[in-house]
Amino acid sequence: MSTTPSAATGASPLRTPLLVLALVVVLTLLAWPSFIGRIQYAKTREELAAIRDAAAGGELAPVGKLFTSLARIVGPAVVNVTSSRPVELVADEVGALWGPRSQLVEDESSASGVIVERDGLIVTNYHVIAQARSIEVRLADGRSFDAEMVGADAATDLAVLRIPATDLPTVAWGDSDRLEVGEMVWAIGNPFGLDRTLTYGIISATNRRGVLDDPLQEFLQTDAAVNRGSSGGPLVNVHAEIVGINTAIVGADFQGIAFAIPGNTAREVCRAILDRGPVERGFIGVQVDDPSDDALGGALVVQVDPRSPAAVAGIRRGDLVLRFDGRPVVDKPTLYLLATRAPIGADVPIDLMRDGEPLRVTVRVGRRPAEKGSDRGR
């Protein structure tokens, strides 16, 4: 004997399974993020447990000697850089009555550097030797040499020196692009004249921009102590490789925040100086600002240089740049960095928003005008 659904229920044999299936799908979607989160948390716990077990078994006992090993490996390649520059000393009103109103005196400052090639090639900060009349380098073994400036790049605050010495200890370059927040790092330099001081910390942030109000600069942030005189010294990883060149702090004294030029940037600038002299950078010829609507992102064009690559390509004031050569432009520093790193002469697609409509133009990257301090030799 067959039965049929009553008029009161209003349900069909097909509708009930579909409702159940829909309910299961909805509950699954709601639970999925929590499920994935539990998996990631469990994986992290497993990794931490493995580290704990290894430590309990004595496998990490050599880590206690890691600091001393790094000091022994990297320390001999860290040098003291002393520069001398003329400074105008202005007399007060009383002093001016009895002598000249001003006179030039020699001002000496001391900082750090690191040997990267055995034949005496040294990398340091540009601000360490800027406008220096003479540069002296003192090695870890006590020897001192007059240094020649091979070249400098003010935009990235890097300089390359050479001393007449061979068979020197060096530090190898590491890959700073692989650094992650939380990785252990060590800073080595000569703060306050205390040669080869080793400090320890972690990477606090990468790709930190806007620190010195220079759109061409981005930094690694670390809590390894960096003080006056540490500038130009290396920031190294657990493999005793250079991953940064220490360059700046917040305020007059160390407060737990220091900045280093990424090692890959320093290595590229060093190689460019050795190969070509002045460092060449891309140029498209726009001035930009962040849009008033933060939700849009991008870089708002506020001025286009006449006859520049951007003007030739048809970019106008008011255009919003969203992508440069396929890479997202999140703010104005991003656009400046992407443009300056683009190969000169390359045809690069730029995605814009103009009057609410998307638009793509192609810009042939030009050569950025040389900056003061970006020269070879003296």
Side-chain angles (χ1 to χ4, degrees), residues 44-288:
T44 303
R45 289 295 299 268
E46 289 174 0
E47 291 172 350
L48 292 175
I51 293 173
R52 258 195 326 268
D53 292 341
E59 296 178 26
L60 296 185
V63 172
K65 296 292 185 181
L66 179 61
F67 289 61
T68 55
S69 297
L70 282 165
R72 291 170 183 166
I73 294 170
V74 180
V78 176
V79 302
N80 187 294
V81 180
T82 301
S83 58
S84 175
R85 56 180 58 82
V87 175
E88 185 178 16
L89 184 64
V90 180
D92 58 24
E93 293 183 3
V94 175
L97 296 175
W98 306 100
R101 298 192 65 86
S102 66
Q103 58 180 328
L104 289 178
V105 298
E106 290 294 318
D107 177 61
E108 284 193 352
S109 61
S110 180
S112 309
V114 58
I115 305 171
V116 295
E117 292 187 9
R118 296 178 68 83
D119 62 352
L121 199 71
I122 295 167
V123 172
T124 186
N125 286 144
Y126 171 70
H127 76 260
V128 167
I129 52 82
Q131 301 178 341
R133 182 173 289 176
S134 63
I135 305 170
E136 182 184 54
V137 168
R138 188 174 72 250
L139 305 183
D141 61 14
R143 290 183 293 167
S144 295
F145 298 89
D146 290 332
E148 171 196 3
M149 189 176 78
V150 179
D153 182 44
T156 52
D157 193 23
L158 287 163
V160 179
L161 310 176
R162 190 182 293 279
I163 58 175
T166 58
D167 199 28
L168 297 176
T170 64
V171 184
W173 294 102
D175 186 356
S176 59
D177 288 344
R178 299 181 63 181
L179 286 175
E180 297 183 14
V181 173
E183 280 196 48
M184 297 185 297
V185 286
W186 290 258
I188 306 181
N190 308 307
F192 308 112
L194 302 172
D195 291 352
R196 279 157 291 283
T197 296
L198 177 71
T199 59
Y200 162 71
I202 62 170
I203 292 293
S204 306
T206 60
N207 305 116
R208 185 70 80 190
R209 298 167 183 161
V211 174
L212 301 179
D213 296 324
D214 189 330
L216 297 183
Q217 291 182 322
E218 62 178 3
F219 298 102
L220 302 171
Q221 181 181 327
T222 176
D223 67 347
V226 172
N227 285 288
R228 192 178 303 277
S230 297
S231 291
L235 187 73
V236 300
N237 62 12
V238 70
H239 303 293
E241 299 168 330
I242 302 171
V243 292
I245 299 295
N246 302 313
T247 190
I249 58 176
V250 173
D253 300 304
F254 179 68
Q255 303 178 54
I257 298 177
F259 301 99
I261 302 163
N264 286 2
T265 299
R267 176 170 51 184
E268 291 168 6
V269 169
C270 179
R271 181 49 53 193
I273 288 173
L274 293 174
D275 291 347
R276 299 186 297 274
V279 178
E280 296 184 335
R281 291 187 172 84
F283 172 76
I284 62 173
V286 295
Q287 295 183 31
V288 296

